[in-house]
């Protein structure tokens, strides 16, 4: 069986360095908000090209805290609106509603699966305060167009960079393309921890300081609480492990790009719609997603031939029971994407032999 993602194999590449990092943390006697987290924040901010990075517990918290901080700073208030793509993973939307804000869904570009900038302005109202573009599957959105709209209407731009670690848009990396960005270090990400983790990146000092306090019980100074905060901190162990893997992130991305390019050049089947690559540096191929009309049949065929695949994602957000108020809404492109997408195996440890086998089986599908 060719696995969808061999996490054991991915982490085995760095085994000795990961063990050394764990040992260093254990021997330090300091496990929360210590030198490892501080060092990772500095290294990740430098990698992204931002002034600040704040380690938090997970990617969802990263987005929640950005929006919460803007509320505390008076930039947003209850029932304000945030524009977000209709075909994203539900976490992007949960962060908005968790803050008492209103998600406004905008359809994607069917070729890239990313929010369509040409459709954004029609959804802007007097209550709109932000655009939340999602760099879905690892490709950056059309940020020049999005930032131009934001500037025109005085909106914040909050990147969801959970799947785009290391991706560029022109001369800047994901995480440095708007006012703030939320990252996830879930184990399956291109930069994955060995547990949960996340980060916020920004160049805004006031925003960074507010988020730091909010994530630490609302405290900017021990036993003094400015806000009704939460506990969302990147622990020392995960920070130390991420420091190891960050050093190899660009190498991991290049291996994924090689596999993606092989797929793009060699999968030739009239039933399969391949991903659209806008520019080489724009995509880090967290996922390689194809579309087909009979997705479930193709998935079964691949499994029968020893190839594991996943669906990202089978149910659109507006059809989830969590958002019953949207069940009568229609987002045709988002619905089509959710009905047709299938993710093929891709990782830095996937062999050329396995990649060739996947292509052959795909091309034999009828």
């Amino acid at each position: 069986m060719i696995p969808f993602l061999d996490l054991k194999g991915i982490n085995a590449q760095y085994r000795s360095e990961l063990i050394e990092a764990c040992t260093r943390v254990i021997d330090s006697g300091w496990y929360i908000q210590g030198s490892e987290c501080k060092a990772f924040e500095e290294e990740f901010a430098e990698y992204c090209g931002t002034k600040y990075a704040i380690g938090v517990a997970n990617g969802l918290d990263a987005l929640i805290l950005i929006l919460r901080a803007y509320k505390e700073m008076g930039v947003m208030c209850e029932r304000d609106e945030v524009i977000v793509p209709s075909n994203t993973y539900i976490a992007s939307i949960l962060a908005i509603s968790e803050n008492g804000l209103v998600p406004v869904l905008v359809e994607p570009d069917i070729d890239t699966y990313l929010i369509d900038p040409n459709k954004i302005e029609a959804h802007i109202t007097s209550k709109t305060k932000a655009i939340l573009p999602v760099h879905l599957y690892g490709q950056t959105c059309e940020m020049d167009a999005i930032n131009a709209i934001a500037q025109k209407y005085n909106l914040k731009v909050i990147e969801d960079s959970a799947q785009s670690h290391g991706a560029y848009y022109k001369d800047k990396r994901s995480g440095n393309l708007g006012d703030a960005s939320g990252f996830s270090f879930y184990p399956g990400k291109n930069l994955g921890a060995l547990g949960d983790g996340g980060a916020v990146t920004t160049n805004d000092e006031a925003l960074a300081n507010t988020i730091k306090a909010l994530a630490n019980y609302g405290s900017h100074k021990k036993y003094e609480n400015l806000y009704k905060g939460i506990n969302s901190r990147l622990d020392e162990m995960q920070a130390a492990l991420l420091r190891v893997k960050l050093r190899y992130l660009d190498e991991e991305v290049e291996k994924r790009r090689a596999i993606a390019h092989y797929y793009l050049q060699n999968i030739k089947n009239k039933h399969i719609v391949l991903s659209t690559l806008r520019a080489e540096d724009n995509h880090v191929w967290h996922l390689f997603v194809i579309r087909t009309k009979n997705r479930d049949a193709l998935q079964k065929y691949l499994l029968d031939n020893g190839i594991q695949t996943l669906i990202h994602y089978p149910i659109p957000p507006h059809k989830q029971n969590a958002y019953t108020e949207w069940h009568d809404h229609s987002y045709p492109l988002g619905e089509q994407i959710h009905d047709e997408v299938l993710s093929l195996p891709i990782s830095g440890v996937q062999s050329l032999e396995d990649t060739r086998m996947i292509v052959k089986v795909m091309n034999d599908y009828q």
Side-chain angles (χ1 to χ4, degrees), residues 338-351:
H338 285 276
D339 287 343
E340 295 180 357
V341 291
L342 188 67
S343 301
L344 303 184
I346 187 168
S347 80
V349 295
Q350 184 170 306
S351 69

Side-chain angles (χ1 to χ4, degrees), residues 187-363:
K189 305 298 186 186
N190 290 17
L191 178 60
L194 274 71
D196 244 329
V200 173
T201 56
T202 185
N203 293 307
D204 184 334
E205 182 178 11
L207 180 68
N209 288 336
T210 304
I211 289 170
K212 287 177 185 177
L214 284 169
N216 186 38
Y217 300 96
S219 175
H220 68 301
K221 183 178 179 182
K222 195 168 186 178
Y223 302 129
E224 294 183 17
N225 302 77
L226 281 173
Y227 313 106
K228 298 174 182 175
I230 62 173
N231 174 14
S232 181
R233 302 176 297 200
L234 181 66
D235 69 68
E236 286 288 280
M237 188 68 76
Q238 297 305 333
L241 298 172
L242 286 165
R243 291 183 68 198
V244 172
K245 297 183 73 175
L246 179 60
R247 295 197 289 269
Y248 298 99
L249 178 55
D250 288 343
E251 182 181 322
E252 167 74 17
V253 168
E254 288 307 313
K255 290 177 180 177
R256 286 171 175 266
R257 282 179 176 154
I259 294 168
H261 289 169
Y262 191 89
Y263 283 155
L264 291 171
Q265 292 166 8
N266 293 283
I267 295 176
K268 301 182 186 300
N269 186 315
K270 65 180 181 180
H271 302 294
I272 306 299
V273 178
L274 296 173
S275 299
T276 298
L277 175 62
R278 200 174 58 242
E280 177 72 22
D281 286 349
N282 288 173
H283 215 317
V284 292
W285 300 103
H286 169 59
L287 299 170
F288 188 93
V289 177
I290 60 94
R291 292 198 340 265
T292 186
K293 293 294 183 184
N294 299 302
R295 188 261 314 284
D296 293 347
L298 174 60
Q299 185 174 42
K300 182 180 184 303
Y301 163 80
L302 291 171
L303 187 61
D304 289 344
N305 283 273
I307 300 167
Q308 184 185 42
T309 59
L310 292 179
I311 300 168
H312 298 90
Y313 302 95
I315 305 173
H318 69 284
K319 296 296 184 183
Q320 296 284 357
N321 286 335
Y323 291 99
T324 55
E325 66 271 27
W326 291 343
H327 282 189
D328 61 347
H329 292 198
S330 177
Y331 299 95
L333 291 180
E335 290 165 16
Q336 179 185 349
I337 289 168
H338 285 276
D339 287 343
E340 295 180 357
V341 291
L342 188 67
S343 301
L344 303 184
I346 187 168
S347 80
V349 295
Q350 184 170 306
S351 69
L352 179 58
E353 180 184 4
D354 283 351
T355 303
R356 286 173 172 165
M357 174 60 72
I358 292 165
V359 169
K360 181 183 184 304
V361 173
M362 290 286 289
N363 286 340

Side-chain angles (χ1 to χ4, degrees), residues 48-51 114 131 133-135 138-148 150 155-161 164-183 201-203 278 281-283:
C48 294
T50 58
K51 292 180 180 178
L114 304 174
I131 304 171
V134 181
H135 305 311
Q139 184 163 212
T140 50
C141 297
E142 290 277 10
M143 295 307 297
D144 280 353
I146 291 169
N147 283 324
L155 308 177
K156 296 297 183 183
V157 175
I158 303 164
E159 299 173 75
D160 184 335
S161 298
S164 60
H165 314 69
Y168 275 93
Y169 180 80
K170 298 188 176 178
D171 61 343
K172 291 184 177 181
R173 286 193 196 265
S174 172
N176 190 26
L177 303 174
D179 295 287
S181 182
F183 284 89
T201 56
T202 185
N203 293 307
R278 200 174 58 242
D281 286 349
N282 288 173
H283 215 317

